[in-house]
Amino acid sequence: QVQLVESGGGFVQTGDSLRLSCTASGLTEEYFAVGWFRQTPEKEREIISCFSFGDGSIYYEDSVKGRFTISGDKGKSIVHLQMDGLTPSDTADYYCATAEYYYCSPYGSYGSQPRYWGQGTQVTVSS
């Protein structure tokens, strides 16, 4: 059984940084990538970044490009999301997710729909 646990959220001020971590268990050879998503009450959950364990392919949604950095290590079953230059528009609940045959490319994620989700970690950025 795959389980994902996010950590690292918090309350920060504009311009500050946070490092989110997604720690996974139960990943087998059929798991190729992990995605980071965020959701607010006003907006549906959206993918903001993903990381491919195999070839290291990375995707960033335009609003986080240049400010967020994703990295990962399948051997350690962990994916980090370094978030710099945070603004109030980054305030959201952040989730990591994966599935068997879920892939990541520089253009986005593809393959299976995310099936396993963490419980989420809250990020609040004050102005």
Side-chain angles (χ1 to χ4, degrees):
Q1 180 72 8
V2 173
Q3 290 187 322
L4 303 174
V5 178
E6 302 95 339
S7 61
F11 185 96
V12 296
Q13 297 188 341
T14 296
D16 285 350
S17 299
L18 282 173
R19 189 191 196 205
L20 305 184
S21 296
C22 174
T23 303
S25 60
L27 297 182
T28 59
E29 60 185 11
E30 293 84 9
Y31 292 85
F32 297 93
V34 168
W36 276 101
F37 299 74
R38 66 185 180 188
Q39 185 175 19
T40 68
E42 297 78 27
K43 207 170 179 181
E44 290 185 358
R45 191 175 297 185
E46 62 173 354
I47 187 170
I48 57 171
S49 185
C50 64
F51 178 84
S52 172
F53 291 121
D55 63 5
S57 291
I58 289 172
Y59 164 77
Y60 297 109
E61 191 271 331
D62 284 347
S63 68
V64 306
K65 204 174 289 184
R67 300 186 300 123
F68 291 10
T69 304
I70 194 170
S71 61
D73 185 330
K74 190 172 185 182
K76 297 180 180 178
S77 296
I78 194 163
V79 177
H80 299 293
L81 186 68
Q82 176 68 37
M83 307 190 297
D84 299 318
L86 287 164
T87 72
S89 63
D90 296 313
T91 295
D93 292 322
Y94 285 73
Y95 301 86
C96 60
T98 189
E100 295 169 299
Y101 307 108
Y102 173 75
Y103 302 97
C104 179
S105 81
Y107 307 102
S109 62
Y110 64 100
S112 300
Q113 290 297 311
R115 176 182 177 190
Y116 299 101
W117 296 82
Q119 82 289 350
T121 186
Q122 191 172 47
V123 172
T124 303
V125 185
S126 68
S127 57

